[in-house]
Amino acid sequence: FLIPAMAQTNVTVSGLVDAEVNSQTSASTGQHTTSINGLSPGPNGGMQSSYLQFAGNEDLGGGMKASFTLGTFFRPGMGSDGRFDGDPLFSRDANVSLSGDFGGVTLGRQISPLYLSTLLFNPFADSFSYSPIIQHTYYAFSAGNVISADSGYSNAISYSTPNFSGLSAKLLYSLSGESGVAGSFSGNLLYFNGPFAATVAYENSTVSGTSNNTYTLGGGYPAGTTQKIAQLGASYDFAPVKLFFQYQNTDTTQTGLASLTLDTFQLGTSIAMGQGNVLASYAKTGGAIDHKTFSVGYDYNLSKSTDIYMAYMNDQATAYAYTLSSVGIGIRKRF
Amino acid sequence: FLIPAMAQTNVTVSGLVDAEVNSQTSASTGQHTTSINGLSPGPNGGMQSSYLQFAGNEDLGGGMKASFTLGTFFRPGMGSDGRFDGDPLFSRDANVSLSGDFGGVTLGRQISPLYLSTLLFNPFADSFSYSPIIQHTYYAFSAGNVISADSGYSNAISYSTPNFSGLSAKLLYSLSGESGVAGSFSGNLLYFNGPFAATVAYENSTVSGTSNNTYTLGGGYPAGTTQKIAQLGASYDFAPVKLFFQYQNTDTTQTGLASLTLDTFQLGTSIAMGQGNVLASYAKTGGAIDHKTFSVGYDYNLSKSTDIYMAYMNDQATAYAYTLSSVGIGIRKRF
Amino acid sequence: FLIPAMAQTNVTVSGLVDAEVNSQTSASTGQHTTSINGLSPGPNGGMQSSYLQFAGNEDLGGGMKASFTLGTFFRPGMGSDGRFDGDPLFSRDANVSLSGDFGGVTLGRQISPLYLSTLLFNPFADSFSYSPIIQHTYYAFSAGNVISADSGYSNAISYSTPNFSGLSAKLLYSLSGESGVAGSFSGNLLYFNGPFAATVAYENSTVSGTSNNTYTLGGGYPAGTTQKIAQLGASYDFAPVKLFFQYQNTDTTQTGLASLTLDTFQLGTSIAMGQGNVLASYAKTGGAIDHKTFSVGYDYNLSKSTDIYMAYMNDQATAYAYTLSSVGIGIRKRF
């Protein structure tokens, strides 16, 4: 039954290094620090989190395909792996897929569909240094372990539909790995049609007592907390001006407490100017908290895979003693 | 004396991702958990432990060759590196070799010859989720640190003979790295001749106080414990039915205690059916303990490098409060 | 503004595996241990520290180039990553560069210019097992955390000049990442002209309370300690005899204490003999301490990318209870 490991699958090594000289003002102490890419637990990572990826595809015939992805985040400032200390080596991706006319099934650690929708409909994409919606949704000013809110899911199975004239959906279930504890669900609908694009996403997750590698908006929640997140997003490219809109409703229920409901809006724009883009975004979360963030930046393309940028983010919340700010100038090299 | 690092050695990136939806019943609590690939310290890893490997060969002329291998295990369920938390990054392989007509010499961390014999003569090979002989020999229900029993040796030097008409031998010595402490020895003979194959392996190791990354059958032994393991294995392929047999004698001596002798048998079969194989194996350990395990599975080849499988293992031991079981369905993608 | 990640940058996987059978005598206990590559905190790593590197270059046109380097050290003895436990995954390199007629700018973790000068002007280069000058400058018999003395700098920005008829300079500034704490500076001048080469290097660093991954000559210094290091180096290749010379002055100031000044000399030679080189080096540090080290070795090239070697180092210091020695025979495979 032994089958030799043959070189039938071409392995692609890809990724990106994004390093910036960044100056921050801490929301808790008001102190300024300068570093490469910012310092955890402040905004960090530059325009995009650096990663190294190994991936491959195999044509199985009959329209079927097998593929795998292994992705490791790293921080160029210290040379550390992960998005933060303790992050698993392949926290970005560690999965295998089978796909065909029926769509695709993926097993293993993989990106959250809600997170994918979040990054696609704001001009700063998945920047943990500069995207206001990321700051409101995925960034823990005080770190916590809420599995509902990590950008990737462990122990996950997902199904992706085929693309129907621009419309596609992805449904993910993350097994809790704990006896008697419910798993988490995340799903989205994506629609792309010429200059217009839109999404609906929903996530329902339970904070696990053992799983980790997660951050959340409001800090750590105890195990058993459930979180329901609904998100709408849309963009329209009026070239050279592209507009982005997002609305998100988050409902968090801790055992024995009344549920906490938050509403978040994001408006953004990306304006093509020469070889670059001016970027701006504003996000506001209201309800039980008051949180306002805006960012501006300019991203200049030296080539299709290399760009340099300048950006500034101002982040205010009633829970902060000081206004958090982050400003930087950096280089992003895709490979 | 400086020599430029030239690109004369082609580096091959290879490995495999094996992810399964797995449901387990714990031997200690009787509780059921469902996850990707099982959860440590239960059976985990699917049909084969996932890994990523960097390797290369250089022809030195005159029949001589230089080669290296770097292999990192990882767990697709969480995206973590290693077989377990704390496993070194390159625990699978981190070595350099010189080979020629005389055979080959390898320096660095490398596979145990006993372990190689163990995986070659049972139908579930090196599956830590489903191979009964692996469960009896290399799996720690209660984890311990017995260097005799890890599947790879640190601080190792090995010599491999050339192949004499199907017969070859490998001898490995692992330096203890401690003053006054003996190292460990592992060696095997392998014979392949048409449908018939056989092995004899022997390992004599001393539990070190500082080395780690090891598991053992009966839990942790104190430093100074010595272990002698003798193994016989044979297989015959009556196509489409292949039969496997293994016998193993383990003798463990702790300081101040009488030695503990265990006898283990394994019988297995792999039956080719269409594009797949039905797999079955039974292992029994007697002597100071009573441990019985059987596994059945079906492995279907989508291609030479991709397969899907279903498998079930039932594991009973007098030391367990409950019957341990593991059942799963998964995808294995070699690259 | 989204730009697809295109395969315009060829990624090169390179590195080296260096494994030796090494026998050491501990400077603190006088005990002998044998292992692969030595054991921390003694001399370890063989003729050169093993590493795996991912790097790439992109031609941006107009003489401009973008490049990145990710390098991970590893220890073949245990299969562990890093130079020591706790070292970041990409402690060798994690950076991105833009270069052109103006020179080059690099952001991220990168090699110290002082360290580059140190390894270029001694016959054992960057061997942490056998280079006397490395033993005097970068090796901590008692480990400490002095950012001034690590071989690489975190949070760094550097500028490299173009090459002017063999003359070039590199200036590096490492941001402290701490409010109110000065960063560190390291720079060098390098000159290569036929058989002659020379360097001047200077480093001025402050021990940070939070940064780490560093070793220092005299053990750990408290945060706030400043260190000024000036180094001269020269070599001349009289073929087949090449001579090396280094002089270094180190000035360390702890808060509230008188400054400690040390002078270090190194003399070395590399003599080409057939396909190999005889190597010898002697270093002496005087001033507040008395430290003398000599090493001899023979390095035989099997090819341009593979060599085998034997080496011996004898290391005496008034602070040691015993004479430290290290002897080994090993294989180095570049790829």
Side-chain angles (χ1 to χ4, degrees):
Chain A
F1 73 104
L2 280 173
I3 297 160
M6 299 180 73
Q8 299 184 316
T9 310
N10 286 322
V11 179
T12 306
V13 181
S14 62
L16 71 89
V17 185
D18 181 337
E20 62 162 350
V21 178
N22 176 278
S23 184
Q24 280 179 30
T25 305
S26 164
S28 56
T29 67
Q31 288 189 324
H32 305 275
T33 53
T34 306
S35 66
I36 299 294
N37 284 27
L39 296 167
S40 185
N44 69 69
M47 194 56 87
Q48 195 173 349
S49 299
S50 297
Y51 71 94
L52 175 65
Q53 179 176 289
F54 305 91
N57 263 304
E58 181 193 3
D59 188 345
L60 297 172
M64 289 279 289
K65 210 173 64 171
S67 56
F68 75 94
T69 309
L70 292 173
T72 182
F73 286 109
F74 65 90
R75 289 163 285 168
M78 294 289 285
S80 309
D81 64 303
R83 300 163 292 175
F84 45 85
D85 292 345
D87 204 19
L89 185 63
F90 296 116
S91 65
R92 195 174 196 272
D93 274 299
N95 54 61
V96 56
S97 300
L98 286 178
S99 58
D101 294 341
F102 66 92
V105 170
T106 300
L107 291 181
R109 186 168 168 92
Q110 53 191 289
I111 193 172
S112 150
L114 173 71
Y115 181 67
L116 184 62
S117 291
T118 307
L119 73 89
L120 286 174
F121 292 89
N122 86 86
F124 288 94
D126 53 346
S127 172
F128 275 71
S129 282
Y130 299 112
S131 168
I133 186 77
I134 292 285
Q135 202 70 10
H136 284 228
T137 306
Y138 285 99
Y139 206 91
F141 176 67
S142 52
N145 286 327
V146 177
I147 201 164
S148 58
D150 194 6
S151 57
Y153 271 104
S154 290
N155 283 318
I157 318 166
S158 72
Y159 167 68
S160 299
T161 67
N163 192 310
F164 302 106
S165 310
L167 183 68
S168 64
K170 186 170 184 178
L171 307 173
L172 178 147
Y173 188 74
S174 168
L175 300 157
S176 74
E178 289 187 279
S179 184
V181 174
S184 297
F185 168 82
S186 184
N188 70 6
L189 276 170
L190 286 170
Y191 180 67
F192 294 95
N193 188 350
F196 178 70
T199 193
V200 181
Y202 181 74
E203 198 162 278
N204 186 336
S205 59
T206 303
V207 178
S208 158
T210 58
S211 300
N212 44 30
N213 321 311
T214 54
Y215 277 89
T216 186
L217 173 66
Y221 293 111
T225 302
T226 57
Q227 201 165 39
K228 296 174 187 175
I229 304 172
Q231 190 186 83
L232 293 173
S235 66
Y236 198 97
D237 193 349
F238 295 96
V241 176
K242 185 173 178 179
L243 297 180
F244 297 88
F245 167 75
Q246 287 174 311
Y247 166 70
Q248 183 170 273
N249 178 277
T250 310
D251 190 72
T252 304
T253 307
Q254 291 186 40
T255 313
L257 294 180
S259 71
L260 173 75
T261 301
L262 300 172
D263 288 299
T264 304
F265 291 88
Q266 186 264 139
L267 282 173
T269 186
S270 167
I271 306 167
M273 285 182 59
Q275 277 185 248
N277 292 278
V278 172
L279 311 172
S281 175
Y282 175 75
K284 176 174 164 46
T285 295
I289 67 167
D290 183 29
H291 190 181
K292 293 168 192 167
T293 308
F294 74 85
S295 294
V296 291
Y298 181 65
D299 186 16
Y300 182 84
N301 299 310
L302 294 171
S303 75
K304 289 209 168 182
S305 56
T306 304
D307 54 303
I308 53 178
Y309 60 87
M310 291 191 300
Y312 171 76
M313 179 175 74
N314 181 294
D315 184 38
Q316 288 182 291
T318 47
Y320 295 175
Y322 296 88
T323 295
L324 173 66
S325 72
S326 180
V327 60
I329 176 164
I331 308 168
R332 170 170 49 179
K333 169 85 201 83
R334 293 178 177 90
F335 57 89
Chain B
F1 73 104
L2 279 174
I3 298 161
M6 300 180 72
Q8 299 183 316
T9 309
N10 285 323
V11 179
T12 305
V13 181
S14 61
L16 71 88
V17 185
D18 181 337
E20 62 162 349
V21 178
N22 175 279
S23 183
Q24 279 180 30
T25 305
S26 164
S28 55
T29 67
Q31 287 188 326
H32 305 274
T33 52
T34 305
S35 67
I36 298 294
N37 284 26
L39 296 167
S40 187
N44 69 68
M47 193 56 87
Q48 195 172 350
S49 298
S50 297
Y51 71 94
L52 175 66
Q53 179 175 290
F54 304 92
N57 263 305
E58 181 193 4
D59 187 347
L60 298 171
M64 287 280 288
K65 211 173 64 173
S67 57
F68 75 95
T69 308
L70 292 172
T72 182
F73 287 109
F74 65 89
R75 290 162 285 168
M78 295 288 285
S80 308
D81 65 303
R83 298 163 294 173
F84 46 86
D85 292 347
D87 204 20
L89 185 62
F90 297 116
S91 64
R92 195 176 196 270
D93 275 298
N95 54 63
V96 57
S97 301
L98 286 178
S99 57
D101 295 341
F102 66 92
V105 171
T106 300
L107 291 181
R109 187 170 166 91
Q110 53 191 289
I111 194 172
S112 149
L114 174 70
Y115 181 67
L116 184 61
S117 291
T118 306
L119 73 89
L120 285 174
F121 292 89
N122 86 86
F124 288 94
D126 53 346
S127 172
F128 275 69
S129 284
Y130 299 112
S131 168
I133 187 76
I134 293 286
Q135 201 71 11
H136 284 229
T137 307
Y138 285 99
Y139 205 91
F141 177 67
S142 52
N145 285 328
V146 178
I147 202 166
S148 59
D150 194 6
S151 57
Y153 271 102
S154 291
N155 284 317
I157 318 164
S158 71
Y159 167 67
S160 299
T161 68
N163 191 310
F164 301 107
S165 309
L167 183 69
S168 64
K170 186 169 185 178
L171 307 174
L172 178 147
Y173 188 73
S174 169
L175 300 157
S176 75
E178 288 187 280
S179 184
V181 175
S184 297
F185 168 81
S186 185
N188 69 7
L189 278 170
L190 286 170
Y191 180 67
F192 294 94
N193 188 348
F196 178 71
T199 193
V200 180
Y202 180 74
E203 199 163 278
N204 185 336
S205 59
T206 303
V207 178
S208 157
T210 57
S211 301
N212 44 29
N213 321 313
T214 54
Y215 277 88
T216 185
L217 173 66
Y221 293 110
T225 302
T226 57
Q227 201 164 40
K228 295 174 187 173
I229 305 173
Q231 190 187 84
L232 294 173
S235 66
Y236 198 96
D237 193 348
F238 295 96
V241 176
K242 186 174 179 180
L243 297 181
F244 298 88
F245 166 77
Q246 287 174 312
Y247 166 70
Q248 185 170 274
N249 178 276
T250 312
D251 190 72
T252 305
T253 306
Q254 292 186 40
T255 313
L257 294 181
S259 71
L260 173 75
T261 301
L262 299 173
D263 288 299
T264 304
F265 291 89
Q266 187 264 138
L267 282 173
T269 187
S270 169
I271 306 170
M273 285 182 61
Q275 275 185 252
N277 292 277
V278 172
L279 309 172
S281 175
Y282 175 76
K284 176 174 163 46
T285 295
I289 66 166
D290 183 30
H291 190 182
K292 294 168 192 166
T293 308
F294 73 86
S295 293
V296 290
Y298 182 65
D299 187 16
Y300 182 85
N301 299 309
L302 293 170
S303 76
K304 288 208 169 184
S305 56
T306 304
D307 54 304
I308 52 177
Y309 60 87
M310 291 189 301
Y312 170 75
M313 181 175 73
N314 181 293
D315 184 38
Q316 286 182 292
T318 47
Y320 295 176
Y322 297 87
T323 295
L324 174 65
S325 72
S326 181
V327 59
I329 178 165
I331 307 168
R332 170 170 49 178
K333 170 88 201 81
R334 293 178 177 89
F335 55 91
Chain C
F1 72 106
L2 279 173
I3 298 160
M6 298 180 72
Q8 298 183 317
T9 310
N10 285 322
V11 179
T12 304
V13 181
S14 62
L16 71 89
V17 185
D18 182 336
E20 62 162 351
V21 177
N22 176 278
S23 182
Q24 278 180 32
T25 305
S26 163
S28 57
T29 67
Q31 288 188 324
H32 306 275
T33 52
T34 306
S35 67
I36 298 294
N37 283 28
L39 296 167
S40 185
N44 69 68
M47 193 56 87
Q48 195 173 349
S49 299
S50 298
Y51 71 94
L52 175 66
Q53 179 175 288
F54 305 91
N57 263 304
E58 181 192 2
D59 186 347
L60 297 171
M64 288 279 287
K65 210 173 63 170
S67 56
F68 75 95
T69 308
L70 292 172
T72 182
F73 286 110
F74 65 90
R75 291 163 284 168
M78 294 292 283
S80 308
D81 64 302
R83 299 164 293 173
F84 45 84
D85 293 344
D87 204 20
L89 186 63
F90 297 116
S91 64
R92 195 176 194 270
D93 275 298
N95 53 63
V96 57
S97 300
L98 286 178
S99 58
D101 295 341
F102 66 93
V105 171
T106 300
L107 291 181
R109 186 169 168 91
Q110 53 192 288
I111 194 171
S112 148
L114 173 70
Y115 181 67
L116 184 61
S117 292
T118 307
L119 72 90
L120 285 174
F121 293 88
N122 86 86
F124 288 94
D126 53 348
S127 172
F128 275 70
S129 283
Y130 300 111
S131 168
I133 187 76
I134 292 286
Q135 201 71 9
H136 285 229
T137 307
Y138 285 100
Y139 205 91
F141 176 67
S142 51
N145 285 327
V146 178
I147 201 164
S148 58
D150 195 7
S151 57
Y153 271 103
S154 290
N155 284 316
I157 318 166
S158 71
Y159 167 67
S160 300
T161 67
N163 191 309
F164 301 106
S165 310
L167 184 69
S168 64
K170 185 168 185 178
L171 307 173
L172 179 146
Y173 188 74
S174 169
L175 300 158
S176 74
E178 290 188 278
S179 184
V181 175
S184 297
F185 168 80
S186 184
N188 69 8
L189 277 171
L190 286 170
Y191 180 66
F192 294 94
N193 187 350
F196 177 71
T199 193
V200 181
Y202 180 73
E203 197 162 278
N204 186 337
S205 58
T206 303
V207 178
S208 158
T210 58
S211 299
N212 44 30
N213 320 313
T214 54
Y215 277 88
T216 185
L217 174 66
Y221 292 111
T225 302
T226 57
Q227 200 164 41
K228 294 174 187 175
I229 304 172
Q231 190 186 85
L232 293 173
S235 65
Y236 198 96
D237 193 349
F238 295 97
V241 176
K242 185 173 180 180
L243 296 181
F244 298 88
F245 166 77
Q246 287 175 311
Y247 166 70
Q248 184 170 273
N249 179 278
T250 311
D251 191 71
T252 305
T253 307
Q254 292 185 40
T255 314
L257 294 180
S259 71
L260 173 75
T261 301
L262 299 173
D263 288 300
T264 303
F265 292 88
Q266 185 265 136
L267 282 172
T269 186
S270 167
I271 306 169
M273 285 183 59
Q275 274 184 250
N277 293 278
V278 172
L279 310 171
S281 175
Y282 174 76
K284 176 174 163 47
T285 295
I289 66 166
D290 183 28
H291 190 181
K292 294 168 191 167
T293 308
F294 74 86
S295 293
V296 291
Y298 182 65
D299 186 15
Y300 181 85
N301 299 309
L302 294 171
S303 76
K304 288 208 170 183
S305 56
T306 304
D307 55 305
I308 53 178
Y309 61 86
M310 290 190 302
Y312 170 76
M313 180 175 75
N314 181 294
D315 184 38
Q316 288 181 291
T318 47
Y320 295 176
Y322 296 87
T323 294
L324 174 65
S325 72
S326 181
V327 59
I329 176 164
I331 307 168
R332 171 170 47 178
K333 170 87 202 81
R334 293 177 176 89
F335 56 88

